[in-house]
Amino acid sequence: MNAGQILISRWGYDHTNVDFHKVVSVTKSGRVRIAPMTSDHYAGPNEQTMRCLPGDVVEGFKPVLRKVQTCEFDGDEFVKLARWGRTAFVWDGEAALATDSRHGH
């Protein structure tokens, strides 16, 4: 991962949330400092979904340090955002779909 890259995390139980983070810096040991970003939401293919694109880095948030890991299945790099397994991968630049919390999957 490199400074400036945007990471995406998709998560949720009864609906899908989308969060974006930005790699602020990379340490000599290869860990990354990431900061959360706002999201811009647009109407999706139906009223139950939204297209999500990254906005700006959240002001005043102190970046957190995360270890870069590699997925054993496809070799993609990722970071864990939470102990319970929530992860973020390098964003591919495409709008992500999220479901409205009132509609579920």
Side-chain angles (χ1 to χ4, degrees):
M1 288 187 190
N2 300 307
Q5 282 186 305
I6 296 174
L7 309 179
I8 186 170
S9 175
R10 294 177 180 92
W11 60 280
Y13 177 72
D14 61 349
H15 62 280
T16 303
N17 299 297
V18 176
D19 291 332
F20 294 99
H21 290 75
K22 187 170 191 172
V23 177
V24 177
S25 63
V26 180
T27 67
K28 291 179 183 178
S29 65
R31 292 178 180 255
V32 293
R33 284 189 178 82
I34 60 173
M37 301 178 76
T38 60
S39 297
D40 293 323
H41 297 81
Y42 303 93
N46 60 52
E47 65 182 35
Q48 299 174 358
T49 61
M50 299 169 287
R51 292 178 28 162
C52 302
L53 294 169
D56 299 316
V57 171
V58 176
E59 286 189 41
F61 189 88
K62 183 178 177 184
V64 294
L65 190 62
R66 293 289 184 257
K67 177 182 175 183
V68 177
Q69 300 181 53
T70 304
C71 180
E72 60 187 59
F73 300 110
D74 58 14
D76 287 347
E77 293 183 321
F78 69 95
V79 296
K80 286 180 96 175
L81 298 175
R83 288 185 195 164
W84 47 269
R86 193 168 138 226
T87 57
F89 290 84
V90 175
W91 181 52
D92 64 6
E94 296 290 321
L97 289 181
T99 53
D100 187 299
S101 61
R102 296 168 294 179
H103 298 294
H105 291 291

